[in-house]
Amino acid sequence: MARAIMLQGTGSDVGKTVLVAGLCRAARKRGLKVRPFKPQNMSNNAAVADIPGDNNVGGGEIGRAQWLQAIACGVAPTVHMNPVLLKPQTDVGAQVVVQGKMFGEARARDYQALKGRLMDAVLDSWTKIGEGADLVIVEGAGSPAEINLRNRDIANMGFATRADVPVILVGDIDRGGVIASVAGTHLILPEADRRMIAGYLINKFRGDISLFDDGIRSIEKFTGWRCFGVVPWLNAAARLPSEDSVVLERLATGEKRALKVAVPMLSRIANFDDLDPLKAEPQVEVVFVPPGQHLPEDAGLVVIPGSKSTIGDLLKFRENGWDRGLVAHRKRGGHVVGICGGFQMLGRVVRDPDGIEGSITETEGLGLLDVETVMEPEKTVRNVSARSVHFGLPLEGYEIHLGRTTGPDMLRPSAVINGVDDGAVSPDGKVFGTYMHGLFSADAFRARFLESLGVRSGGIDYRAEVERALDEVAAELETHLDCDAIFRLAR
């Protein structure tokens, strides 16, 4: 079994995902065979990963964060990197994915009772992920300080104690109160859990790091833990795909550019990193529009992203008045793209006769494409190679969706995926939908698409930019953390 180290946070969104990715890349640069692991993740940003030993065409779902961490390691992602994935569908319930496959649905209270059964799958994947590796870097979820959930925990100390993995605690100084959060975690943890923590690091520091020297001495006084370093604000992290939609709440509108792309922030938005390649373009401004705000009138393109709850998000779309804004956008000659759930919303109607998404079994669509969708239990999960019909250029991406879409506008497909027509295009060519995520990552397609909107691409190699960002994060961690000590700590 490989040696391992685990990063847990004093809270959610403290930057664990990027830190694990950076440490994975740093370990790889040292010649180590390194793998990422996250026992339990909660995210609607999913990726398609291999299912080892499964000969079926397709794949399984994992959190997009572990997909990014696998890239940092230079290996293909597998479902064992994230054996339990929760995909929220309502405020109190989520779809449960186990080792890549849909396991069922559970309300929050019911899921707590289910965790005991899921630990077996977590430990099975843990064994598999360590085979042939020198080092596994584990990412926790939320915080070990949630002691009310400790009894059935599989994500933090429940896993660390079962697998005997030493823990480094991550505190986020940007949100304030970092001394109290680290010391408070030490105070409330049971002794057995406290013994698993070998030390801590501070993340997201802005300014002169030496100003925190007294803070380090204070934390040592309260906890006795060593500090592995203070990490500055990592600018390169902004060029990496984000896992959690909480990041969208903090996005500020940038400088005005040649093309404004408006993206409604759906309640159950999924795989919004589809927009990252457009955000990287120097002439493109991507604006995520929060609930309660109007679609900007100066947008040249509206992209309706994926959704974990198409019907529920359609109803919210109308509540926010975005449907009226979309009609006005079209009258001004604006373009519209719908991806996955966004494609389904663009049709005339969405039906869910089996109540897969909830109690509402049918709702009117936005009517910009002459298609209709019927939700079906069978989920499509696969990586795909495709070709843009309009531009005749190669595409590469993945599909994760429920539902079958049919209708006259599908006689004008937007793409051909694995030899089969996909998506639909409006008669005037200004609206199109597709089930394929990742289409804007194709550099040649993105350049031609922007050109059709009157914008010149910056000639960006998007995947190379992600690799460079990972290298920059790793270099920063090597500078500001005692990586030698961290890797020696692994057992």
Side-chain angles (χ1 to χ4, degrees), residues 2 12 30 81 100 135 179 192 199 249 277 290 328 333 352 371 378 387 396 446:
S12 296
R30 293 171 178 223
M81 292 175 178
L135 176 67
I179 296 174
E249 299 170 7
D352 185 10
V371 299
E378 188 71 25
R387 179 166 290 274
E396 213 170 273
R446 186 177 67 254

Side-chain angles (χ1 to χ4, degrees), residues 37-53:
F37 186 75
K38 183 159 185 168
Q40 172 194 290
N41 202 345
M42 178 179 284
S43 177
N44 278 332
N45 270 14
V48 178
D50 294 335
I51 303 178

Side-chain angles (χ1 to χ4, degrees), residues 281-296:
E281 288 285 350
Q283 295 300 312
V284 178
E285 176 192 3
V286 177
V287 178
F288 284 87
V289 183
Q293 293 190 16
H294 299 297
L295 297 179

Side-chain angles (χ1 to χ4, degrees), residues 164-453:
D164 190 29
V165 178
V167 174
I168 295 175
L169 193 65
V170 180
D172 176 4
I173 198 168
D174 187 59
R175 63 177 61 190
V178 72
I179 296 174
S181 63
V182 175
T185 300
H186 179 276
L187 175 67
I188 68 174
L189 284 182
E191 180 58 31
D193 289 353
R194 192 183 299 142
R195 284 197 301 267
M196 299 302 299
I197 298 180
Y200 70 96
L201 64 86
I202 301 297
N203 196 26
K204 304 183 187 177
F205 193 95
R206 301 175 191 259
D208 184 351
I209 289 176
S210 68
L211 294 175
F212 195 67
D213 288 348
D214 286 343
I216 293 173
R217 283 189 285 270
S218 296
I219 293 173
E220 183 179 2
K221 177 182 174 182
F222 284 115
T223 68
W225 290 335
R226 69 165 293 184
C227 179
F228 286 96
V230 179
V231 180
W233 188 272
L234 298 170
N235 292 322
R239 308 198 324 262
L240 297 173
S242 298
E243 175 194 30
D244 198 327
S245 59
V246 69
V247 71
L248 300 181
E249 299 170 7
R250 300 193 301 269
L251 287 180
T253 301
E255 62 186 34
K256 188 174 180 62
R257 298 178 179 178
L259 173 67
K260 179 176 285 187
V261 180
V263 186
M265 279 176 57
L266 308 175
S267 299
R268 299 299 164 195
I269 191 170
N271 297 83
F272 57 84
D273 60 318
D274 281 336
L275 282 299
D276 284 358
L278 290 178
K279 285 165 55 181
E281 288 285 350
Q283 295 300 312
V284 178
E285 176 192 3
V286 177
V287 178
F288 284 87
V289 183
Q293 293 190 16
H294 299 297
L295 297 179
E297 293 184 1
D298 57 343
L301 171 66
V302 173
V303 177
I304 305 178
S307 167
K308 189 65 192 68
S309 180
T310 300
I311 288 179
D313 274 345
L314 254 175
L315 298 176
K316 292 289 186 182
F317 202 97
R318 288 198 168 86
E319 281 183 24
N320 283 297
W322 289 334
D323 56 333
R324 297 187 297 275
L326 200 61
V327 169
H329 171 78
R330 285 286 289 132
K331 286 181 178 178
R332 292 191 294 268
H335 292 249
V336 181
V337 174
I339 302 174
C340 199
F343 169 37
Q344 295 172 339
M345 293 182 200
L346 288 176
R348 289 181 287 102
V349 65
V350 179
R351 297 189 176 91
D352 185 10
D354 297 325
I356 295 170
E357 288 193 347
S359 59
I360 301 175
T361 58
E362 182 174 322
T363 190
E364 182 183 357
L366 299 172
L368 298 190
L369 289 173
D370 191 4
V371 299
E372 62 178 59
T373 297
V374 178
M375 295 299 178
E376 296 177 338
E378 188 71 25
K379 180 183 276 193
T380 299
V381 181
R382 60 178 183 167
N383 288 309
V384 299
S385 295
R387 179 166 290 274
S388 162
V389 171
H390 183 70
F391 298 115
L393 291 169
L395 302 169
E396 213 170 273
Y398 61 99
E399 291 182 77
I400 302 177
H401 68 89
L402 294 168
R404 181 171 53 89
T405 302
T406 57
D409 279 352
M410 295 194 73
L411 294 174
R412 291 181 297 275
S414 57
V416 176
I417 297 178
N418 294 352
V420 178
D421 289 349
D422 167 78
V425 180
S426 63
D428 68 358
K430 292 190 174 183
V431 180
F432 81 81
T434 178
Y435 272 119
M436 193 181 83
H437 294 285
L439 74 161
F440 293 125
S441 296
D443 299 321
F445 167 79
R446 186 177 67 254
R448 287 289 299 278
F449 176 71
L450 291 176
E451 185 181 294
S452 72
L453 301 181

